[in-house]
Amino acid sequence: NSPETVFAIGSITKSFTALGIMQLQEQGLLSVHGPVNTYLEGYTRDDGVTLHHLLTHTASLPREGLFRGSDPVSLEEQVEYINQRHMLFEAAPGEYYAYSNAGYILLAAVIETVSGQTYHEYMEEHILKPLGMNRSSSGTDTVLLPGQAQGYDFSSGTPRPLSRYHFSSIVGSGNLYSTVEDLYKYHEGLQENNLLSTTSTQELFSPHQGDWQDGYGYGWEITQLYGYQRFSHGG
């Protein structure tokens, strides 16, 4: 295991999706306060859910989208599936926090619709390449990449390689691969406002839900540790 070892970074992907949304807002192609059904034809409910609600997990959507194990799922199928799910709360969107991969899958679909590129193409062209994250990529299958860490299950006493599910099921919410070195480049790019204006970057790291001790920005968990402000995410 080294700084060049490739890992599936899981839900750290959400911060990349949020960054893409903010880039598109800066280009005037969307507004985070616009309704989801403005950008996605397949999302037909008039429920007041906005991109802001998706970004902050306050849309009252279920936790997961459509999952088929090792079989692929298209974003069109995801939008149709999520569109038919019941809301978790009777209250209006924005009232309650409920962590939702489904919400970030919808954001990936918005990126595709608004940009005219696939989510993979958008991430590559507008985030990964500009930052020199050459060992990072957007996964949409079950392939084990060259140099990727392999997880193991030890519950039986004998290590067995973990099965890999199809990453098309979690596009936008958990499908990116990266390395320690590349994530440091990502950190530097955010700190130096290389991909967004200072104002938009501050939006990523402001508690839109909760507060500075226990809150959520746009794709980032906001907490405090040992007297320091911490921005992080599980993955």
Side-chain angles (χ1 to χ4, degrees):
N1 187 24
S2 76
E4 296 84 28
T5 301
V6 177
F7 284 87
I9 64 172
S11 286
I12 298 171
T13 298
K14 291 181 174 67
S15 68
F16 287 80
T17 300
L19 174 56
I21 291 290
M22 294 303 288
Q23 287 178 330
L24 292 169
Q25 177 172 260
E26 285 195 345
Q27 295 172 38
L29 297 176
L30 58 76
S31 167
V32 295
H33 298 293
V36 175
N37 57 20
T38 299
Y39 307 105
L40 295 178
E41 289 185 3
Y43 193 86
T44 57
R45 293 189 303 209
D46 186 19
D47 50 14
V49 171
T50 66
L51 304 186
H52 171 84
H53 295 137
L54 300 182
L55 288 163
T56 57
H57 301 288
T58 58
S60 192
L61 289 174
R63 184 179 178 93
E64 305 298 343
L66 180 58
F67 181 73
R68 292 200 183 116
S70 59
D71 294 326
V73 180
S74 70
L75 273 176
E76 289 76 19
E77 290 176 299
Q78 288 282 20
V79 173
E80 180 181 0
Y81 175 84
I82 296 168
N83 184 60
Q84 296 172 1
R85 299 304 96 193
H86 292 295
M87 305 299 272
L88 296 179
F89 310 108
E90 293 183 2
E95 290 292 316
Y96 297 106
Y97 174 90
Y99 190 84
S100 176
N101 289 316
Y104 271 76
I105 292 170
L106 290 181
L107 289 169
V110 169
I111 288 175
E112 290 204 349
T113 301
V114 172
S115 71
Q117 296 179 292
T118 66
Y119 179 84
H120 170 76
E121 291 168 343
Y122 188 91
M123 290 293 116
E124 188 76 20
E125 181 177 337
H126 299 280
I127 300 177
L128 303 182
K129 279 187 176 179
L131 294 179
M133 298 175 66
N134 300 322
R135 291 183 62 81
S136 301
S137 59
S138 176
T140 53
D141 51 35
T142 60
V143 172
L144 187 68
L145 300 177
Q148 182 183 340
Q150 168 67 62
Y152 291 87
D153 178 8
F154 285 85
S155 61
S156 65
T158 302
R160 294 181 295 118
L162 291 171
S163 60
R164 293 183 297 279
Y165 52 85
H166 209 282
F167 270 21
S168 66
S169 297
I170 49 173
V171 170
S173 69
N175 69 303
L176 292 186
Y177 298 94
S178 194
T179 69
V180 169
E181 286 193 339
D182 274 8
L183 287 177
Y184 181 66
K185 294 176 182 177
Y186 180 52
H187 163 75
E188 283 191 311
L190 289 169
Q191 293 293 303
E192 297 170 5
N193 301 303
N194 289 338
L195 297 176
L196 284 176
S197 67
T198 302
T199 300
S200 292
T201 300
Q202 288 174 345
E203 287 289 295
L204 294 177
F205 295 107
S206 296
H208 300 288
Q209 186 280 324
D211 54 32
W212 291 100
Q213 272 129 17
D214 183 17
Y216 201 90
Y218 286 164
W220 289 95
E221 295 169 348
I222 299 172
T223 54
Q224 292 182 354
L225 183 68
Y226 306 129
Y228 291 94
Q229 193 68 56
R230 179 170 67 170
F231 305 97
S232 60
H233 212 291

